[in-house]
Every structure is written in C-alpha cells, then in structure tokens.
Amino acid sequence: VEEPHVLDLNAVDVGAVAPGEVSAACGAAAYRYFTQAIDDALAGEVDAIATAPLNKEALHAAGVPFPGHTEILASRTNAARSCMMLTSDTITCSLV
C-alpha cells in the first residue's frame, strides 16, 4: 500500500489568508486544487478524489463560472449528464 501524498500547488499565499473572510484568492486556489485533482484522476495518477465543501462565494469572487463541484466535474470530464449524490449508512439520494 502506497503512503498518501500531499500536493502543494502553492496556489495561495497562506500569510495573506484571513480565516472567516471570503477571498477571491482562496476561491481561485480552491478551484485550482480541485481541477488539478480531477486532471490527476483522469490521467490515472490517483484512484479517487475526496472533496470538502467549496465556498461558492469565494469561487465566484475569483471569477469561477460554475455554481459548485458537480458542474466543475461535469465540465472537466466532458460529461453528457451529471447529478449530485449524497450517501450514508442510512440513505443514498441524488438531487434533481
């Protein structure tokens, strides 16, 4: 089993980050890290992507033209169809 790796794209100056404040720089960095993860998955360099919530206000402040994860994934993978699915031990649902 291979050890996990952390990829630092140096996409944001951490010294300039103000926790709790919406930032275009942080939105741009989040988008860059997410799209890099998608590209790495498409290239077979990683087996899966796990994400955390993205701050949509920060994404939009950075000029990212997508509402969220689902639309970014659909665009990056040229998917003809997409939907968000949430799952737990109790329930699995897709949002429509």
Side-chain angles (χ1 to χ4, degrees):
V1 173
E2 204 171 309
E3 290 295 316
H5 293 81
V6 174
L7 176 63
D8 187 355
L9 300 175
N10 295 307
V12 68
D13 174 8
V14 295
V17 173
E21 292 184 20
V22 174
S23 160
C26 289
Y31 181 72
R32 183 163 175 218
Y33 279 106
F34 187 40
T35 57
Q36 184 64 56
I38 296 166
D39 292 348
D40 288 349
L42 290 171
E45 295 177 26
V46 298
D47 295 324
I49 299 171
T51 67
L54 293 174
N55 184 303
K56 291 165 181 57
E57 188 178 353
L59 287 177
H60 296 154
V64 175
F66 300 101
H69 289 85
T70 305
E71 297 81 8
I72 295 168
L73 278 162
S75 176
R76 206 75 178 179
T77 61
N78 296 312
R81 293 177 42 193
S82 66
C83 71
M84 181 190 320
M85 182 179 77
L86 306 169
T87 190
S88 73
D89 291 339
T90 306
I91 188 171
T92 296
C93 69
S94 291
L95 307 178
V96 294

